[in-house]
Amino acid sequence: METAIIKIGNSKGLRLSKTILEKYNIKDKVEIILEMGQIILKPIESPRKNWESSFEKMNKEGDDKMLMNDVFNDENFEEWN
């Protein structure tokens, strides 16, 4: 399939047909993968998909510890009153 690159403001873009958008379930965003001289567009189903199960797994494995101390441990809030 061949398609033209079109001008969009100061940039250029690629127009995808409704058929392609529907067939590959492309909504608002795609991931662009640059690989071996090719540009691959990959549909993003939903940002943060499966995050909840990943966080639950991290918790079960004890891998959800803070990486740094609480920012406000030594903060003096009196000066803000």
Side-chain angles (χ1 to χ4, degrees), residues 74-81:
D74 60 350
E75 190 71 39
N76 180 0
F77 291 105
E78 292 300 318
E79 64 186 70
W80 295 97
N81 291 330

Side-chain angles (χ1 to χ4, degrees), residues 7 15 22 26 51:
K7 184 169 175 52
R15 185 177 296 146
E22 289 174 352
I26 298 173
W51 276 24

Side-chain angles (χ1 to χ4, degrees), residues 52-65:
E52 186 174 346
S53 60
S54 295
F55 288 142
E56 287 174 4
K57 181 181 176 190
M58 285 175 59
N59 180 266
K60 286 178 187 173
E61 295 175 0
D63 195 26
D64 61 344
K65 305 282 187 266

Side-chain angles (χ1 to χ4, degrees), residues 20-46:
I20 290 175
L21 295 173
E22 289 174 352
K23 180 176 181 177
Y24 294 99
N25 197 28
I26 298 173
K27 302 291 183 202
D28 297 325
K29 293 183 179 185
V30 293
E31 178 181 357
I32 298 176
I33 302 167
L34 306 175
E35 188 174 282
M36 296 189 291
Q38 297 180 348
I39 300 171
I40 301 168
L41 301 178
K42 182 178 174 185
I44 297 178
E45 293 177 19
S46 67

